Amino acid sequence: MRTGGLARAAARAVLGAGLAASAAAGDFATTAAGTTGSEFLLFDLGARGIAMGGAFSAVTDDAYSLYWNPAGLAKIPRVSASFMYSRYVQDISYQSAAYAQRLTDTSVAGGGIRYQDLGSIPRTDISANDLGTFHPRNYVVELGWGQTVYDLSDAEVDIDIGVTARWLHSQIIEQADGYAGDLGVQARFFSARVPYDLSAVVQNLGRGQKFDQTRDSMPMRAKFGGALRPVRGLILAADAGIPINNAPGGSLGLEYGWQVQRELKASVRGGFNSLTMKDLGVASGLNFGFGLAVADFSFDYAFAPLGVLGASVHRFSVSFNLPAKVSRRYRDR
């Protein structure tokens, strides 16, 4: 199959899954909250995207594209490596690492790991007898591929497609494994008066975990996004999400970056995500953060309040991104 045919098939698959999600109104509603397993797969990765409220599926262009939209891998010029540390309420922490490398002029491969530690939890039996403690943990290992489609790309538009495959393992008292995959598309349009990006991605399609008699459903969701670049350094982004375990929602984000010195770039970011607004209040949807890029290293921070819980979450990311050597295709247009 020619690359262009592959791209069209991938786009049809992504859009078809999204439309199917929209049609299944019985599941995609607030009444479906809590009906899926493996919810840790929905914990956002990378302080940059989190600070923009999760409006990132059309913007992502580094190793964390494995999570946001695997088509973004195709925008990596040479090498991208990212690491994130996040601490939640109580003793819950979440760490991740991702690495991606260009293989050919059109393709990029990547891999990543995630680890969630929920701390020690008291354990009792049905009669409230003390059985000590247990220590739940979740692990994810994922591989991804991003491909630029030359048959559909030209001086006016770039089309990228991507896939991610992941294995997940949970250790609570019993243990269980699962398998999932993502399929995504990105398009960047250069010829418009204001350059813009469009994206579509379906996440967490696969086989859920089974701890006892019943296998859990995967937290599948479809996302459609867009981004505008009205002036150099400014990105305005929006995402619409259709999760199987909740009502459809959306997010808005912005980023503004400026060159401080030749080897130093600064960025400020902000965003709003409607996902938690109903349960935790409007304040829980507000995110903001900043970033500093020193030569090939980037340091990013994101802050997210937890509304009525009276707590907040801080995320820190460190990235290493090698720019292209000579190819003009991957430089900023």
Side-chain angles (χ1 to χ4, degrees), residues 160-191:
D160 301 312
I161 60 175
V163 295
T164 299
R166 61 179 58 96
W167 167 77
L168 46 144
H169 174 79
S170 294
Q171 178 181 326
I172 304 178
I173 296 174
E174 303 296 332
Q175 301 184 35
D177 296 328
Y179 305 91
D182 301 349
L183 179 62
V185 178
Q186 281 186 342
R188 174 169 292 181
F189 298 85
F190 301 100
S191 60

Side-chain angles (χ1 to χ4, degrees), residues 34 79 114 132 141-142 154 203 205 217 267-268 293 325:
V79 170
R114 311 185 214 171
V141 177
E142 50 201 344
D154 52 34
Q203 300 173 310
L205 294 165
S217 299
S267 301
V268 292
K325 288 183 177 179

Side-chain angles (χ1 to χ4, degrees), residues 265-323:
K265 181 179 179 180
S267 301
V268 292
R269 305 172 182 119
F272 179 79
N273 192 321
S274 69
L275 181 63
T276 61
M277 183 172 59
K278 180 178 179 180
D279 296 324
L280 299 181
V282 175
S284 68
L286 297 171
N287 296 355
F288 65 86
F290 61 85
L292 290 175
V294 182
D296 297 328
F297 289 89
S298 298
F299 306 88
D300 298 299
Y301 165 77
F303 171 83
L306 295 181
V308 297
L309 294 181
S312 55
V313 180
H314 306 271
R315 278 96 162 194
F316 301 90
S317 294
V318 179
S319 301
F320 174 72
N321 300 281
L322 280 178

Side-chain angles (χ1 to χ4, degrees), residues 7 10-11 14 56-77 100 102 106-109 143-149 158-164 166 182-188 197-203 330:
V14 172
F56 209 59
S57 66
V59 180
T60 182
D61 57 2
D62 62 10
Y64 275 139
S65 297
L66 286 165
Y67 167 77
W68 294 102
N69 185 346
L73 291 171
K75 290 185 170 62
I76 295 172
R102 180 161 293 279
T106 61
S107 58
V108 176
L143 298 173
W145 183 275
Q147 182 78 34
T148 297
V149 186
D158 276 353
I159 304 292
D160 301 312
I161 60 175
V163 295
T164 299
R166 61 179 58 96
D182 301 349
L183 179 62
V185 178
Q186 281 186 342
R188 174 169 292 181
D197 305 79
L198 297 176
S199 69
V201 58
V202 178
Q203 300 173 310
Y330 305 106

Side-chain angles (χ1 to χ4, degrees), residues 48 52 229 231-236 254-261 264-270 289-293 300 332:
R48 182 188 176 200
M52 294 178 66
R229 303 169 188 269
V231 297
R232 186 174 182 84
L234 177 63
I235 300 175
L236 305 175
L254 65 85
E255 175 185 73
Y256 181 70
W258 66 96
Q259 203 74 36
V260 180
Q261 298 177 0
L264 178 63
K265 181 179 179 180
S267 301
V268 292
R269 305 172 182 119
F290 61 85
L292 290 175
D300 298 299
D332 290 338

